[in-house]
Each structure stands twice: as structure tokens, then as C-alpha cells.
Amino acid sequence: MKLRSHLLALSLGTLVPMILFALVAAALFVDRERKTFERGARERMHAILAAVDTELRSAMGALHVLATSRHLDTGDLASFYADATQVLRSQPDWVTINLAALSGQQLLNLARPLGAALPNIGSLPSFEQALRTGQPVIDDILLGPVTGQYDVAVRVPVVRQGVVKFVLSGVLKPDAIDRLLAAQRLPPDWVGIVMDRRHRIVARTLTPGLAAGQLAPESARAALASAPEGWYRGRSLEGRAVYTLYVRSPFSGWTVAMFVPAEAVEAVERRALA
């Protein structure tokens, strides 16, 4: 009996450390696989963010060139209208270009004939910011007061001798951002979205165009309120359990997020544990 007890104690003394080591090794392996999966998703997300920022920077650059037009110095709005029309033709993803006085009153908008009555945009926060800072501003997605559709304005102050004279705006279609998302070829069950600073959807891989202007899921809004970048488990707009990876652009203030089905992430962990 004593021999059996001694052998049992010896066996347990040998097996228990081995079992503990195996459990620790399994946990570390699962964690490594999860981080590898997350890293791959994060690389995709940063690629989308870079593409979106490049698109917005390109729009800003085109407006900066147009803002140097000498016709703005002479007050020749008819000639400037013609210049702006040429720029618009070179930008297939733009809806229109408009020029506004410091009061916010639009002086011209290429969506309307020159001289047509146009709404005042002075109450828009992005217009006020452009006047106050003298710096370009990327607006949030809004229903355009002239187009009547959801679109995004990039505003560039027209500055002469350090003084803002006008605000020039290029209005972009959300479709342009939809195409940037589609170009990343996410897995069919993943959903990529681009949100503005108010957490409204600019573009989305699932039903592109139909979600424009909608609020992002509540879990995403709560996460963004606490950190500009992260990874968490939550719910999609459709109520599906997902892991969400997101990052906010320091350039535009917009956010790119990817919603990965929870079962896809957890299947990776289960396979690693097995």
C-alpha cells in the first residue's frame, strides 16, 4: 500500500507540472494566433485609412490650385465659374464646386447656372471653422443644401495677404469612398465602414450607398469616445456578434472600422487550443 501511494505521489508530482506547462503553452499559443489574426486585420484597416486620406488630400490639393485663380482677385465670377467647371470635369467623384463669401452666402455653385439663387451655408460648422482657422476643413457627411443628397464637402479658404476672402468647397460623392473600401477585397462576411467625426457612416461594404448618413453602431460610438484606436467585441448594425477593429485618422478625424464575425475570430482560437 505504501509503495502504491508513493508511486501515485511520484506520478502526480511528474504529471501536474507537465499539465500546467501544457495549459500555459496552449494559452500562449492561442494568444499568439489571436494576435496574428488581429495584426492581419489591422494591416487591412490601415491600408483603407491610407487610401481614404489620400483621396481627401487629393481633393484638397485640387482646390488649393483653383483657389489661386486670378479671377478671384478681379471679381470676374463668370471666368472663375469656367475655371471651376474645367476642374470639376477632371474630378469624376465630385458632385459640384461652390464659392461662398465670408457671410456664407454662396456666390456660385456649379450645380446651378451662374446667377441662380443659392442658399447660405454660413451656419455650417465646417464653414465657420474654415473662416476661424484659415485652414482647410473636411466636413462630415451631410444632406447637401443644393444637391439634396448625402455628400462630403472639402473646404479651402481663399487667402490673400494673410486674410480670408472666400471659402471654396469641393463636394464629393460617398461613392468614391465606397469604391476605396471595395478595392480592399475584404472577406465576404467582414464589413468595413468609414465614419465621419459625428460617427455617421460615409461608406460601407455591405449595401454600399444605402447606409450613408446612418449612425454607426452604439458599441462603436462608445469605443471611439474612450480611445482613438482599439479592438473590442460588440454588435453590428444588424445585431450580429462581431469583433470590431477601428482607428481614427489624425488628418481627417474620420474613422475606419472593420467588423469581423465573432465566430471567425473564436474559431481561430478554438483551432489553436485544439
Side-chain angles (χ1 to χ4, degrees):
M1 181 65 73
K2 288 182 178 180
L3 180 59
R4 284 184 179 179
S5 298
H6 179 72
L7 289 173
L8 179 60
L10 184 62
S11 298
L12 288 175
T14 303
L15 287 173
V16 169
M18 291 177 64
I19 292 171
L20 289 174
F21 174 78
L23 290 174
V24 170
L28 290 173
F29 187 67
V30 168
D31 184 65
R32 188 187 71 179
E33 291 298 293
R34 181 185 60 79
K35 287 180 177 178
T36 299
F37 186 93
E38 181 183 339
R39 184 166 56 251
R42 193 179 297 275
E43 288 172 356
R44 285 176 177 264
M45 184 183 63
H46 278 281
I48 295 172
L49 184 66
V52 171
D53 280 354
T54 297
E55 180 75 16
L56 296 174
R57 288 181 194 276
S58 175
M60 197 175 288
L63 289 170
H64 273 301
V65 173
L66 183 58
T68 65
S69 172
R70 60 186 176 83
H71 299 307
L72 292 177
D73 300 325
T74 61
D76 186 353
L77 292 183
S79 295
F80 181 77
Y81 190 98
D83 287 349
T85 299
Q86 291 298 320
V87 172
L88 184 62
R89 286 173 181 163
S90 71
Q91 302 290 336
D93 292 322
W94 291 22
V95 180
T96 187
I97 295 172
N98 68 67
L99 179 74
L102 301 186
S103 64
Q105 178 58 51
Q106 293 185 74
L107 302 175
L108 60 84
N109 189 310
L110 300 192
R112 297 287 185 270
L114 184 63
L118 296 168
N120 189 301
I121 59 173
S123 62
L124 295 177
S126 60
F127 184 87
E128 295 174 352
Q129 184 180 342
L131 285 184
R132 185 178 67 255
T133 65
Q135 297 297 318
V137 178
I138 296 165
D139 205 351
D140 297 318
I141 189 167
L142 294 171
L143 271 175
V146 172
T147 64
Q149 299 175 345
Y150 277 108
D151 46 41
V152 175
V154 177
R155 307 196 192 279
V156 170
V158 177
V159 181
R160 298 292 188 269
Q161 287 78 50
V163 178
V164 177
K165 298 294 186 180
F166 308 98
V167 174
L168 181 63
S169 303
V171 182
L172 285 66
K173 305 172 187 175
D175 297 1
I177 310 301
D178 279 324
R179 285 196 294 276
L180 292 178
L181 281 176
Q184 296 302 317
R185 300 187 181 279
L186 298 178
D189 54 349
W190 293 26
V191 177
I193 70 170
V194 177
M195 296 174 275
D196 66 16
R197 290 168 298 184
R198 299 181 304 143
H199 305 157
R200 292 193 177 274
I201 295 173
V202 177
R204 188 171 185 245
T205 54
L206 184 64
T207 61
L210 297 180
Q214 290 186 39
L215 275 173
E218 184 179 353
S219 58
R221 303 198 304 269
L224 277 164
S226 61
E229 184 171 353
W231 166 266
Y232 68 92
R233 196 180 195 280
R235 295 277 172 183
S236 67
L237 280 174
E238 292 75 25
R240 189 180 185 186
V242 291
Y243 281 87
T244 302
L245 188 64
Y246 69 92
V247 61
R248 181 187 293 130
S249 167
F251 168 66
S252 65
W254 287 9
T255 299
V256 171
M258 288 197 306
F259 299 87
V260 184
E263 58 265 26
V265 178
E266 290 162 4
V268 170
E269 297 178 354
R270 285 194 299 270
R271 286 195 299 270
L273 183 60

